[in-house]
Amino acid sequence: GDEEKEMRPPSILLLAAGILGLAGPACAGGVEEPAGYRMDEYRAPVPDTLQGATVVSTSDAEALWREKKAVFFDVMPQAPKPANLPAGTIWKEKVRKDIPGSVWLANVGYGAISAETAEYFRQSLAANTGSDKSRTILFYCMTDCWMSWNAAKRALEWGYDSVVWYPLGSDGWESANLPLEENTPYVVND
């Protein structure tokens, strides 16, 4: 009865509040948006928001994809071939499966990018949007991946005004039994 409720340890109540999302961001797993770019630990929980961008669920992303209302950019990094491989070593690129029709812009989602990577990113965005900064563009990588958050933030700073961020990425897409296809990184035509 009532005595049992009074005797319940506070930790059980805090756990229950955390599970129900009543204990605030610290217990509920909320992540604050950083002021700048995420500079390390890119595979970690991400915020629910990106100021200036529209954050979408899998069903929202699927609707944009089916209706062809956005250019999809996969920003999953690609490991470079090691320069010092012993002679005769076979190097096999890791296969990337992403949302069909996506443009894979490998390595543009780091917090700090080189001038060459920034130029590649700018040229790729322009080429795939017809240089229309009002065209809807959607960024993703994987669940708990800051690369897409950083890339979307950078596009906003460069003046793109219809930026969509899909934080669940290819993992969320695959979990919804939506199609994936093998892709290779986009090459800018000079």
Side-chain angles (χ1 to χ4, degrees):
D2 289 336
E3 284 179 358
E4 189 178 307
K5 284 182 189 170
E6 289 175 29
M7 300 296 287
R8 195 169 288 142
S11 59
I12 301 275
L13 296 175
L14 287 174
L15 177 63
I19 290 169
L20 296 173
L22 304 174
C27 292
V31 176
E32 294 291 320
E33 259 192 66
Y37 295 103
R38 176 70 174 232
M39 301 300 284
D40 58 13
E41 297 180 31
Y42 298 107
R43 288 302 310 262
V46 295
D48 292 333
T49 58
L50 172 52
Q51 188 175 349
T54 301
V55 182
V56 296
S57 66
T58 299
S59 60
D60 295 332
E62 180 187 7
L64 288 169
W65 177 73
R66 290 197 185 281
E67 296 166 16
K68 298 185 181 350
K69 290 194 172 178
V71 180
F72 279 58
F73 291 103
D74 177 2
V75 298
M76 186 72 182
Q78 181 185 42
K81 180 179 180 180
N84 56 352
L85 284 178
T89 301
I90 297 173
W91 171 257
K92 184 158 173 52
E93 296 285 348
K94 187 174 180 197
V95 173
R96 174 66 177 154
K97 289 188 174 187
D98 64 13
I99 299 169
S102 294
V103 178
W104 181 14
L105 303 181
N107 306 320
V108 301
Y110 289 101
I113 57 175
S114 69
E116 293 82 11
T117 300
E119 185 60 22
Y120 163 77
F121 192 10
R122 284 180 187 271
Q123 288 179 5
S124 301
L125 289 175
N128 287 282
T129 62
S131 297
D132 179 359
K133 289 190 173 186
S134 67
R135 180 105 184 257
T136 302
I137 53 178
L138 181 146
F139 292 94
Y140 72 94
C141 52
M142 301 171 75
T143 299
D144 289 336
C145 176
W146 281 85
M147 295 283 177
S148 56
W149 191 92
N150 281 341
K153 182 176 181 70
R154 192 164 273 120
L156 286 163
E157 288 181 357
W158 289 345
Y160 288 85
D161 59 16
S162 186
V163 175
V164 177
W165 176 46
Y166 174 40
L168 294 178
S170 55
D171 295 334
W173 194 264
E174 183 175 28
S175 292
N177 295 313
L178 293 166
L180 293 172
E181 69 180 11
E182 285 187 24
N183 202 353
T184 56
Y186 179 75
V187 176
V188 175
N189 294 324
D190 290 327

